[in-house]
Amino acid sequence: MATHASSSSALNAPFIQALLKKALNSQLESVIDTSNGCGKCFSVKIVSDQFRNQTPLSRHRMINRALGPEILSQIHALSIAAYTPEEEPSFPSDSPQ
């Protein structure tokens, strides 16, 4: 299991990004602290093959499980955009346009 930040330290985007990358084997992830650095609000954009055949709710639950209850208890707001590689328009594709 991933090491989580202690409740006394502010979370940061690189820490959350590393947790998601490891847990979901994502090809692309963007985590932005939208709380002006206090570590309470984040916006996440993530692309992973693991989201195939999953509903949006299931994808959000996968992300929540990856972060774990200790991390989620420290976050006030989490905006999530979760895609498969085929769904994300800015993700490079192997197929010719």
Side-chain angles (χ1 to χ4, degrees), residues 1-89:
M1 187 97 195
T3 303
H4 291 158
S6 70
S7 58
S8 63
S9 66
L11 295 175
N12 60 55
F15 178 78
I16 291 174
Q17 189 169 357
L19 283 177
L20 294 174
K21 184 171 188 71
K22 182 176 181 181
L24 298 170
N25 195 28
S26 57
Q27 294 94 352
L28 171 72
E29 62 284 316
S30 168
V31 180
I32 299 169
D33 184 342
T34 57
S35 63
N36 295 320
C38 80
K40 296 287 184 185
C41 302
F42 294 92
S43 176
V44 173
K45 178 179 176 182
I46 184 166
V47 177
S48 175
D49 286 322
Q50 291 186 27
F51 296 141
R52 258 191 196 85
N53 301 316
Q54 300 296 320
T55 65
L57 179 59
S58 294
R59 295 173 186 195
H60 286 221
R61 287 178 175 160
M62 291 168 72
I63 291 167
N64 288 342
R65 275 193 302 271
L67 295 176
E70 183 180 336
I71 299 300
L72 290 174
S73 70
Q74 297 177 58
I75 295 175
H76 173 72
L78 181 64
S79 170
I80 299 172
Y83 305 100
T84 65
E86 295 80 17
E87 294 169 335
E88 208 318 283

